[in-house]
Amino acid sequence: MNYLIFKKLKKEILWLFLSVFYGLVNKFTLIAVDNFLKSKNIYIVFLREERIGHQAGNADIEFHRAFDRKKRYGAQTVFIFPYPSNQVANLELRKRLISFASKNSYKTIVFNHKYLTKVFSKILTYGLPRVFQSCQNIYYSDTDTGHRISTQVLKISKTHNILCKKLEINPKNYICITSRDENYLRSLNKKRDWDYHNYRNTDIDNLKGLSLYVQKELKMDVVRIGSNSKKRIKWESQKNPKIIDYSFSTYCSPKNDIELIAGCNLFINNGGGPVAAAIAARRNIITINHIPIRISIGNVWGLWIPKLLKLEKNNKFLSLRETEKLGLAESLNSEDYTKANVEIFENTEEDIINAIKDYFKIQKGLIDDKENAVLKRYKEIRDESAHIFRKNIVPNDKDIISPSFLLKYPELLS
């Protein structure tokens, strides 16, 4: 018993020491470094890039911030690209991000030392955010949601057409589909418990109907992408236009992932890392099974529909307001839904097909008065609930939900 008490006390003393140490370092950094950078009108930004979503999204957001600072104050930005102990999500993506930064006159430093990588990763993840917490001109950025510049960050490369020829798809007429499951995260670290992310997982087979619709009605190739996917699709089709499971093909690689995402006509996803790359490539996007309802919305490039929530032993789906009241609008842990006795339901094939139909109707300005009215009501409720529960207004310029989804589930707006 005494040993356990000593062990706990030892841990608390260590944390106290670290807190004091970080406090002193922070104070020194604020005075000595941050003030110097302010005097020179320079910003130093450490980027987050241990997974593809953070890698693409984080850099994309920070490019916008740097562009805005330069436009407003003439400030210069230096980007630090670290090399975490988990292998960088995508070296091809990193290369293109660095190229974009360099061409736009942003200075870049790439940290890539074989022996210091692991140590630096821990300092970056646990130390730098605390060291820089009071600083303004030098900071570690961990956000991957926010405003972007209009410029396309990830451009189509010269080898894109070659890859499409190997896959036997039309390089100018295909969509990408992806479905999040647990395999990718578990492949990064098998010892870590990733179950807290389960609320975001979906079944790839729910995209069968949409794929067949795109093949038959839109006359476009369908390419399923994703790293370390859980299961192969059984509805591939070699009939032109094709439906192919690139994830399980011999051509699947981190580099080719970026090639396909950057060149697709439309990106269908349910969240996860690849959508950040699609946004950086400024692709047209439809997000299905979106959850939680507040994360990323307002900055989504395209149209979306959410997963449906229902209290156990209740026949009615939760409204957007009720989801806010239960504290689930920004919840990022499966346990939160379990504790609230809430069941989570994936979108049906019909809802997904209707979402893509709505997308093209909106693009062509063909939605009717009833659909316009329900979209207007939706935006009013979103602004109202944002003010009540978040004390701010969520921008609605890119918050476009499928009107057919709202009309089918009117309880969402009650």
Side-chain angles (χ1 to χ4, degrees):
M1 187 69 176
N2 290 334
Y3 171 75
L4 292 175
I5 293 173
F6 172 76
K7 189 176 180 180
K8 183 178 180 181
L9 185 62
K10 184 179 178 182
K11 187 176 181 180
E12 289 179 353
I13 292 172
L14 177 62
W15 276 113
L16 178 62
F17 171 79
L18 288 174
S19 296
V20 173
F21 172 76
Y22 282 130
L24 292 173
V25 174
N26 175 253
K27 187 175 182 179
F28 171 78
T29 305
L30 177 63
I31 294 173
V33 181
D34 203 42
N35 286 347
F36 173 77
L37 291 173
K38 286 179 182 177
S39 70
K40 298 296 183 180
N41 202 16
I42 295 173
Y43 287 78
I44 296 178
V45 182
F46 289 80
L47 296 172
R48 180 182 184 184
E49 58 168 358
E50 77 271 23
R51 300 204 297 270
I52 185 173
H54 304 312
Q55 188 179 14
N58 185 226
D60 203 359
I61 301 306
E62 289 301 335
F63 288 155
H64 175 270
R65 291 178 175 176
F67 177 82
D68 189 57
R69 288 193 294 257
K70 188 173 184 180
K71 183 179 179 181
R72 289 171 177 263
Y73 317 114
Q76 299 297 316
T77 300
V78 178
F79 290 109
I80 308 293
F81 287 80
Y83 199 114
S85 55
N86 289 340
Q87 68 176 44
V88 171
N90 193 311
L91 290 173
E92 175 67 18
L93 175 57
R94 166 193 265 206
K95 185 175 77 173
R96 295 198 193 189
L97 293 173
I98 292 172
S99 174
F100 178 87
S102 301
K103 288 179 181 177
N104 285 273
S105 301
Y106 301 132
K107 294 183 180 180
T108 60
I109 298 174
V110 180
F111 187 94
N112 184 6
H113 192 284
K114 182 178 179 180
Y115 300 103
L116 296 179
T117 291
K118 192 170 184 179
V119 175
F120 186 79
S121 174
K122 290 183 178 179
I123 292 173
L124 177 68
T125 305
Y126 303 108
L128 292 188
R130 298 184 67 179
V131 169
F132 299 148
Q133 63 186 354
S134 298
C135 300
Q136 295 179 0
N137 282 50
I138 179 170
Y139 62 92
Y140 166 65
S141 175
D142 63 356
T143 181
D144 53 12
T145 59
H147 295 288
R148 276 95 168 162
I149 53 180
S150 58
T151 308
Q152 182 181 1
V153 175
L154 298 181
K155 299 185 183 297
I156 302 172
S157 79
K158 295 178 181 179
T159 60
H160 173 259
N161 285 359
I162 297 173
L163 173 61
C164 290
K165 186 176 181 179
K166 290 178 180 178
L167 293 172
E168 298 181 340
I169 61 172
N170 187 335
K172 296 182 179 180
N173 195 45
Y174 71 91
I175 74 166
C176 285
I177 62 171
T178 183
S179 180
R180 183 190 180 99
D181 61 49
E182 65 269 23
N183 269 24
Y184 171 69
L185 291 177
R186 287 180 179 174
S187 70
L188 294 179
N189 188 342
K190 294 180 180 179
K191 294 181 180 180
R192 183 175 176 179
D193 184 1
W194 295 101
D195 287 350
Y196 74 95
H197 262 305
N198 286 348
Y199 69 100
R200 299 175 69 183
N201 295 337
T202 59
D203 185 352
I204 185 63
D205 288 334
N206 286 345
L207 287 169
K208 178 180 178 180
L210 175 135
S211 298
L212 295 174
Y213 173 82
V214 169
Q215 179 191 44
K216 182 179 179 181
E217 302 297 332
L218 302 182
K219 309 299 181 185
M220 301 174 74
D221 291 309
V222 179
V223 182
R224 187 272 185 97
I225 67 165
S227 299
N228 298 303
S229 298
K230 187 176 181 179
K231 66 177 180 179
R232 187 169 193 152
I233 61 174
K234 296 179 180 179
W235 26 276
E236 285 185 274
S237 173
Q238 293 303 311
K239 178 184 176 181
N240 285 320
K242 297 180 183 296
I243 299 175
I244 63 171
D245 197 337
Y246 155 82
S247 292
F248 286 85
S249 75
T250 56
Y251 299 106
C252 185
S253 71
K255 182 180 185 300
N256 288 341
D257 290 347
I258 299 304
E259 296 283 4
L260 289 171
I261 292 172
C264 71
N265 297 74
L266 185 62
F267 189 82
I268 312 290
N269 77 103
N270 67 295
V275 70
I279 295 172
R282 304 300 184 251
R283 298 296 87 191
N284 296 315
I285 296 169
I286 297 177
T287 302
I288 60 175
N289 287 306
H290 186 87
I291 189 171
I293 60 172
R294 279 289 175 199
I295 301 299
S296 297
I297 297 305
N299 296 295
V300 170
W301 292 63
L303 176 144
W304 71 285
I305 54 176
K307 281 189 176 182
L308 293 168
L309 306 180
K310 183 187 291 184
L311 285 172
E312 292 180 9
K313 300 180 181 179
N314 192 329
N315 293 322
K316 189 180 72 170
F317 291 118
L318 291 176
S319 69
L320 299 175
R321 283 198 184 104
E322 289 169 329
T323 302
E324 298 269 14
K325 287 179 181 178
L326 287 172
L328 298 177
E330 295 180 290
S331 177
L332 299 174
N333 195 314
S334 297
E335 288 187 8
D336 294 336
Y337 299 89
T338 302
K339 290 177 181 178
N341 294 316
V342 166
E343 295 180 272
I344 303 174
F345 294 84
E346 290 187 39
N347 301 143
T348 66
E349 285 192 87
E350 179 186 24
D351 292 338
I352 295 170
I353 293 171
N354 286 336
I356 196 171
K357 290 180 179 179
D358 283 351
Y359 174 82
F360 286 107
K361 284 174 65 177
I362 291 171
Q363 289 276 309
K364 297 175 182 178
L366 298 177
I367 57 175
D368 58 31
D369 292 342
K370 191 175 182 180
E371 292 166 330
N372 268 317
V374 77
L375 285 176
K376 181 180 179 182
R377 177 60 181 151
Y378 162 76
K379 291 187 176 184
E380 289 172 352
I381 289 176
R382 290 289 270 179
D383 275 342
E384 179 186 305
S385 59
H387 179 71
I388 293 172
F389 296 101
R390 300 183 67 202
K391 311 241 184 285
N392 62 14
I393 298 296
V394 174
N396 279 321
D397 55 326
K398 295 183 179 68
D399 185 355
I400 307 171
I401 196 169
S402 165
S404 66
F405 192 80
L406 295 175
L407 291 169
K408 182 177 178 180
Y409 305 103
E411 60 266 44
L412 291 174
L413 301 183
S414 63

